[in-house]
Amino acid sequence: MSTQSDAREIRGDPPRTHSVSTEQASNPVAAVGALTQMIREECEVVDRTRAIPATVVDALRDARVFHLLAPRAVGGAEADPLTFLRVVEEVSYADGSAGWCTMIGGCYAIFGGMLPPEGAREIFGDPATISAGNFRPDKGVAEVMDGGYRVSGRWELASGSSHAGWYIAGAMLVQDGAPVTGLDGRPAMREFFFPASEARVIDTWESTGLRGTASHDYEVLNIVVPEHRTLWFQEPPCERGPLYRMPPVAMFATFIAAVQLGIARHAIDAFVELATTKIPTMSQIVLADRVTAQASLGRAMALVSSARGYLENALQNLWDRVEAGHAPTLGDRGGLWLAAAHAGHTAHAAIDMLYTAAGATAVYATSPLDRCLRDARTALQHVCTQDVHFELAGRLALDRDALASVWGLDFRGEA
């Protein structure tokens, strides 16, 4: 008879523990893996509270997951992207909302390598910093002034707003009442960091899945943001390490996909546990002894494992090239987007397969499979893993114009 440990061994998962040892403290993947049971138990309430419990946030902060991608110059780990991707998957295996908030707060630390040094120190020099926000520049306006900007706007989907100390937001530049344009004639845009105390959070996050992410709206009115707390994706990064030469938005897509892969691993374990005890209606045997259930589980495991391998391979290959001094090409960016979209869709398909095989038991909101399906479906709605990226990959392969826009960002122009 199958067991959870059998499934983990086939998938190649790390062993599960419940406390962080000295050895694990130097291994962020093992460190967050040791928190799995605690995170899962504490996050049972997130569908109701719509926020990650402070105990979980503190544990993740203590594990320094939110500083893994921050520059060493400000006390960060400046870890390689594959390590962070695996950390995100591991937390998402414990809970989808916790994994999503880890992904957002952790990957935004990469802006510490893109900001001017003064801004990087001010924001990310504090090891307790967690940031949240939305890149979209069409939701805000920034009036150019001496030494900075006067920013106003309202943005959606500030995942982690319940525990963020800083916000990031995109805005269009204006001067003397007129839009500012760049040398290419396009509207000029920037990203702005400001303390959470300067923003008003608007309770809007009544979602189907990822309910614990507190992805509310937020707004500011006429706040002053100094130049050193601003950046733009097409500008050269201030830090010279290879991490900050990776295409940030395309890399961000792979971290989103890691959330879905972690949720899918949770669904596999939940199905194994259910199948060994449930006797389906009009049956004399447990679900685990049904050939159809066995086949569904096997297919789901293969889907998740292959999607993870594809995603990790794409990210590792580009990381190796960038470390060797090569600049990312349009094809490299497209490769990350494709691998991320494929992983997200494949993980969701695997969960849906298990949900169907579980029968009516899975439809209850208290079922782990129900939570996994809702969380994965909600994550799949993100622009980074939508169907458009399959089209983009096809256009690249066919040597057609592959210009795409994400949050108003030119796909060709990531720094």
Side-chain angles (χ1 to χ4, degrees):
M1 181 177 291
S2 297
T3 65
Q4 285 192 22
S5 59
D6 292 333
R8 291 173 182 151
E9 183 176 351
I10 292 172
R11 287 198 313 262
D13 296 353
R16 304 282 164 227
T17 56
H18 302 285
S19 61
V20 180
S21 67
T22 303
E23 182 179 354
Q24 288 168 335
S26 62
N27 181 337
V29 181
V32 296
L35 299 172
T36 296
Q37 190 62 33
M38 183 276 289
I39 293 173
R40 195 162 290 173
E41 291 173 356
E42 292 289 300
C43 286
E44 286 181 357
V45 301
V46 300
D47 272 6
R48 175 173 52 83
T49 62
R50 296 178 299 131
I52 301 300
T55 50
V56 173
V57 175
D58 290 344
L60 293 172
R61 186 187 276 115
D62 289 345
R64 297 186 62 80
V65 300
F66 301 111
H67 245 52
L68 283 174
L69 300 184
R72 295 188 187 95
V74 297
E78 205 166 319
D80 67 274
L82 194 62
T83 293
F84 183 69
L85 181 133
R86 289 171 173 166
V87 164
V88 170
E89 182 185 339
E90 197 66 19
V91 181
S92 303
Y93 168 77
D95 180 80
S97 290
W100 187 269
C101 288
T102 296
M103 180 271 297
I104 291 291
C107 74
Y108 282 11
I110 204 166
F111 293 127
M114 302 170 67
L115 286 163
E118 183 182 356
R121 287 192 301 271
E122 180 182 1
I123 300 166
F124 297 104
D126 181 354
T129 289
I130 304 175
S131 53
N134 189 320
F135 300 161
R136 288 188 59 172
D138 60 333
K139 299 292 184 176
V141 175
E143 181 182 356
V144 180
M145 54 186 293
D146 287 345
Y149 306 84
R150 190 175 298 277
V151 181
S152 297
R154 174 169 171 166
W155 301 264
E156 306 96 348
L157 302 171
S159 300
S161 64
S162 58
H163 52 264
W166 287 86
Y167 282 95
I168 185 173
M172 315 291 287
L173 303 190
V174 298
Q175 190 167 23
D176 299 326
V180 177
T181 57
L183 296 176
D184 58 2
R186 295 183 179 183
M189 300 170 279
R190 292 194 76 72
E191 301 291 335
F192 302 86
F193 272 94
F194 44 86
S197 59
E198 295 184 355
R200 183 173 79 94
V201 176
I202 304 150
D203 190 328
T204 55
W205 188 241
E206 284 290 353
S207 62
T208 301
L210 296 177
R211 286 180 58 81
T213 60
S215 301
H216 301 298
D217 290 10
Y218 62 111
E219 69 176 3
V220 297
L221 180 63
N222 293 325
I223 64 168
V224 175
V225 180
E227 182 70 42
H228 68 262
R229 283 203 252 119
T230 76
L231 61 94
W232 188 241
F233 296 94
Q234 296 177 3
E235 297 172 349
C238 292
E239 290 290 331
R240 297 184 178 181
L243 179 62
Y244 310 107
R245 298 198 304 271
M246 291 283 284
V249 181
M251 186 169 57
F252 175 58
T254 69
F255 301 147
I256 288 176
V259 174
Q260 294 153 312
L261 290 172
I263 295 170
R265 281 175 47 202
H266 185 183
I268 288 171
D269 281 1
F271 182 82
V272 168
E273 183 174 357
L274 173 67
T276 55
T277 58
K278 174 179 177 174
I279 299 177
T281 302
M282 302 179 66
S283 175
Q284 302 297 315
I285 58 175
V286 293
L287 182 61
D289 288 333
R290 282 190 167 182
V291 173
T292 53
Q294 296 165 359
S296 294
L297 178 60
R299 289 192 180 97
M301 293 168 69
L303 286 172
V304 174
S305 293
S306 59
R308 180 194 298 110
Y310 179 23
L311 183 70
E312 289 193 351
N313 187 62
L315 185 60
Q316 184 66 55
N317 284 346
L318 181 53
W319 175 246
D320 290 343
R321 283 174 42 77
V322 171
E323 272 201 308
H326 300 285
T329 66
L330 183 60
D332 291 330
R333 292 175 170 85
L336 290 189
W337 285 96
L338 178 59
H342 172 75
H345 282 261
T346 301
H348 178 263
I351 297 168
D352 188 58
M353 185 182 300
L354 297 174
Y355 182 93
T356 300
T361 305
V363 307
Y364 292 94
T366 54
S367 164
L369 285 169
D370 179 76
R371 168 84 74 83
C372 287
L373 186 63
R374 288 187 286 113
D375 285 353
R377 177 67 258 182
T378 300
L380 196 59
Q381 294 300 106
H382 196 283
V383 66
C384 281
T385 51
Q386 290 180 4
D387 279 346
V388 65
H389 302 296
F390 295 108
E391 176 190 348
L392 174 60
R395 292 180 71 84
L396 283 167
L398 293 168
D399 197 25
R400 294 298 188 266
D401 177 34
L403 193 65
S405 181
V406 181
W407 301 297
L409 308 181
D410 185 341
F411 183 74
R412 296 182 188 276
E414 289 186 272

